[in-house]
Amino acid sequence: DVKVTQSSRYLVKRTGEKVFLECVQDMDHENMFWYRQDPGLGLRLIYFSYDVKMKEKGDIPEGYSVSREKKERFSLILESASTNQTSMYLCASSGQGLSQETQYFGPGTRLLVL
Amino acid sequence: QQQVKQSPQSLIVQKGGISIINCAYENTAFDYFPWYQQFPGKGPALLIAIRPDVSEKKEGRFTISFNKSAKQFSLHIMDSQPGDSATYFCAALKTDSWGKLQFGAGTQVVVTP
């Protein structure tokens, strides 16, 4: 069974803290994605990676960075958390070729920045 | 700027009724159009998808209608059930873009008993 796991379901952090969100997939997928989900704005792509150590900016990369040292793991880093980064963060993965068409999502991490 | 525009933002339908969600796109390079379903507390999951060489695709009570010339596609949920209450996202993909989906803003569907 396909599985994407995220390290935390809920996180509460203070403004200015460095925050790490971890995502692990067990499908040997090449592509991995980080989105944030906000009401009325849908899913907005922050960063994606198509291979180990490769990363590309998405639509809203400001204030975020990512790391992909191993194929199965993709980390999202908030360098200095701000209140406007309070959101639901979703990780997803997909394969290549025709397999790229389907993204498998984790359950999400709800982050509150105070 | 969202490349896929989705409407309505929310929808309330009675059990047994038809739910219709509409999406429009501009980029004619898109060649795959999936719909994702998200239940509260869960991540989105693929529901149904269509390619632009087909005008309609049906899977059970879910049907996608696709109008290539109008650059529009829609999801119809027939005989809506309370278990269909969820948020629905349309999306579009261009081949050779590393699987980067462009999502619509989402539609929250509530089916009342």
Side-chain angles (χ1 to χ4, degrees), chain A residues 1 5 23 25 31 33 36 45 47 51 84 86-87 89-90 93 96 101 103 105 107 112:
Chain A
D1 199 17
T5 55
C23 175
Q25 51 95 1
N31 303 325
F33 307 84
R36 62 178 282 176
L45 182 64
Y47 267 96
D51 201 350
N84 63 13
T86 290
S87 186
Y89 290 88
L90 288 161
S93 71
Q96 289 189 340
E101 293 176 346
Q103 288 189 15
F105 284 82
L112 174 61

Side-chain angles (χ1 to χ4, degrees), chain B residues 7-18:
Chain B
S7 63
Q9 191 169 352
S10 62
L11 181 58
I12 300 174
V13 62
Q14 281 194 326
K15 180 182 174 180
I18 302 173

Side-chain angles (χ1 to χ4, degrees), chain A residues 52-87:
Chain A
V52 176
K53 297 193 188 293
M54 305 305 289
K55 59 187 178 186
E56 294 284 337
K57 292 179 181 178
D59 301 317
I60 51 164
E62 296 78 18
Y64 303 95
S65 62
V66 290
S67 172
R68 193 164 180 205
E69 296 296 317
K70 293 186 177 181
K71 190 176 185 180
E72 67 271 19
R73 189 179 296 270
F74 192 34
S75 303
L76 179 69
I77 303 152
L78 285 66
E79 297 290 342
S80 177
S82 64
T83 55
N84 63 13
Q85 292 179 309
T86 290
S87 186

Side-chain angles (χ1 to χ4, degrees), chain A residues 9 31 37 42 100-101 103 106, chain B residues 36 38 41 43 51 98-99 105:
Chain A
R9 293 302 303 271
N31 303 325
Q37 181 176 8
Q100 69 175 287
E101 293 176 346
Q103 288 189 15
Chain B
Y36 281 74
Q38 183 183 29
R51 298 187 194 282
W98 295 303

Side-chain angles (χ1 to χ4, degrees), chain B residues 4-106:
Chain B
V4 180
K5 291 183 169 39
Q6 183 172 348
S7 63
Q9 191 169 352
S10 62
L11 181 58
I12 300 174
V13 62
Q14 281 194 326
K15 180 182 174 180
I18 302 173
S19 305
I20 302 174
I21 306 169
N22 299 300
C23 287
Y25 64 97
E26 284 299 322
N27 189 345
T28 55
F30 289 137
D31 53 9
Y32 181 73
F33 300 87
W35 286 87
Y36 281 74
Q37 180 187 52
Q38 183 183 29
F39 292 108
K42 305 280 188 185
L46 178 66
L47 177 65
I48 187 173
I50 197 168
R51 298 187 194 282
D53 55 348
V54 174
S55 61
E56 185 175 283
K57 184 171 181 181
K58 185 175 180 180
E59 288 183 4
R61 295 182 294 104
F62 298 89
T63 300
I64 302 177
S65 297
F66 191 86
N67 186 330
K68 190 174 180 178
S69 60
K71 292 185 281 187
Q72 294 175 349
F73 58 110
S74 59
L75 178 70
H76 296 233
I77 308 173
M78 313 300 285
D79 186 26
S80 296
Q81 299 296 312
D84 298 331
S85 297
T87 300
Y88 293 82
F89 294 96
C90 61
L93 175 71
K94 185 174 58 167
T95 306
D96 300 328
S97 64
W98 295 303
K100 198 170 82 162
L101 288 167
Q102 298 291 334
F103 283 94

